[in-house]
Amino acid sequence: MLRYFSWLGVGLIATTALVHAQQAPNGAAPAAQATAPEAKAASEPPEPMEAPQPGDHWTYESRDEITGDVKSTFVQTVTDVTPTEINVRVTVLGNPNNGYVTFDSGWNLTNDGTWRFAPNDGSGVRVPLSIGKSWPIKATGIRTAPNATWKRSGTAKVVGQESVTTRAGTFDAFKIEISYQLQNSNDPTKKAQIIQRTWYAPAVDHWVKRTAESRQDGRLTDKNSVELVEYGRR
């Protein structure tokens, strides 16, 4: 249960799940250790990315905010876009394997290869965004091997608009706070409270920063963050 909570908090992005789940096959040689890409020069910013296109990519650094340790650097790359779906390849630097996830058009996760969300995981955006806008979160996460079903319910709200600086640059971002409860459908005593904060920048059509806290019985169990270090268009 704890492992489930830890990846849901940030991946929410589905990427944290892949970061921990992807392992090199037995006997496979480890990939050469890669370093995080340098931020693009301020004088040569990538073109605006308001609508996703194949080849769009965002590189993030994932950190455990309890220990301060950097856990991984991973890249999300759009492979295909339809009117209702955005398909993304997830590559963890230093790992030879790729993962594949599917979002809806509002960057809500619907499938990460292990978990399927109905209608979605609720971690995306609802445009147009404006300060004070809110919407309900109500979803079911289903895993088939082994079988598990988790319900989530809560609220998302745009609580502000801020200038956020990361290694990738400075961005005008909407701050969205999502608060929800997770509960095991088969054992209602298994539950947790999640608070996720997302800084979404329309200019790059993605989050430039994300934090998540997981609590059980009021006690902090996980606190993670991801931060944008590079992005671009093919």
Side-chain angles (χ1 to χ4, degrees), residues 10 13-16 19 58-62 72-76 90-93 207 225-227 229:
V10 175
I13 46 198
T15 47
T16 305
V19 167
W58 304 268
T59 300
Y60 292 94
E61 184 176 83
S62 172
S72 65
T73 300
F74 61 90
V75 184
Q76 293 184 328
V90 181
T91 304
V92 180
L93 300 189
W207 46 88
S225 70
V226 292
E227 187 171 291
V229 297

Side-chain angles (χ1 to χ4, degrees), residues 60-81:
Y60 292 94
E61 184 176 83
S62 172
R63 184 182 298 273
D64 183 329
E65 292 295 340
I66 295 177
T67 65
D69 295 335
V70 174
K71 308 302 290 185
S72 65
T73 300
F74 61 90
V75 184
Q76 293 184 328
T77 303
V78 175
T79 59
D80 183 45
V81 180

Side-chain angles (χ1 to χ4, degrees), residues 1 5 189 191-193 214-221:
M1 180 174 67
F5 293 155
T189 65
K191 56 187 177 181
Q193 295 73 44
S214 303
R215 293 180 182 272
Q216 296 179 65
D217 299 322
R219 300 180 182 90
L220 182 68
T221 55

Side-chain angles (χ1 to χ4, degrees), residues 28-219:
Q33 182 64 40
T35 56
E38 294 296 330
K40 292 187 177 296
S43 60
E44 298 180 2
E47 64 179 282
M49 298 163 60
E50 286 87 351
Q53 296 180 12
D56 289 356
H57 54 90
W58 304 268
T59 300
Y60 292 94
E61 184 176 83
S62 172
R63 184 182 298 273
D64 183 329
E65 292 295 340
I66 295 177
T67 65
D69 295 335
V70 174
K71 308 302 290 185
S72 65
T73 300
F74 61 90
V75 184
Q76 293 184 328
T77 303
V78 175
T79 59
D80 183 45
V81 180
T82 75
T84 59
E85 291 184 348
I86 306 170
N87 296 300
V88 172
R89 181 179 67 221
V90 181
T91 304
V92 180
L93 300 189
N95 190 311
N97 301 322
N98 294 321
Y100 296 89
V101 300
T102 300
F103 297 90
D104 67 14
S105 58
W107 292 109
N108 295 285
L109 181 67
T110 60
N111 195 323
D112 73 354
T114 301
W115 289 89
R116 179 168 50 86
F117 298 94
N120 55 62
D121 78 333
S123 65
V125 298
R126 289 195 182 183
V127 294
L129 295 173
S130 59
I131 297 175
K133 181 176 181 177
S134 64
W135 56 91
I137 302 296
K138 193 173 182 64
T140 302
I142 302 169
R143 185 184 65 192
T144 56
N147 292 333
T149 301
W150 289 80
K151 300 284 188 180
R152 64 175 64 189
S153 60
T155 304
K157 184 176 182 178
V158 182
V159 297
Q161 193 166 3
E162 301 176 356
S163 178
V164 179
T165 299
T166 74
R167 286 164 53 193
T170 299
F171 306 89
D172 184 16
F174 288 97
K175 182 181 179 181
I176 303 168
E177 184 168 300
I178 300 176
S179 177
Y180 62 90
Q181 176 173 281
L182 284 170
Q183 190 166 41
N184 188 304
S185 296
N186 296 324
D187 184 354
T189 65
K190 295 180 179 179
K191 56 187 177 181
Q193 295 73 44
I194 311 295
I195 296 178
Q196 176 186 305
R197 297 176 178 89
T198 296
W199 286 261
Y200 171 83
V204 298
D205 190 34
H206 235 45
W207 46 88
V208 294
K209 182 179 178 181
R210 212 166 220 181
T211 65
E213 297 180 9
S214 303
R215 293 180 182 272
Q216 296 179 65
D217 299 322
R219 300 180 182 90

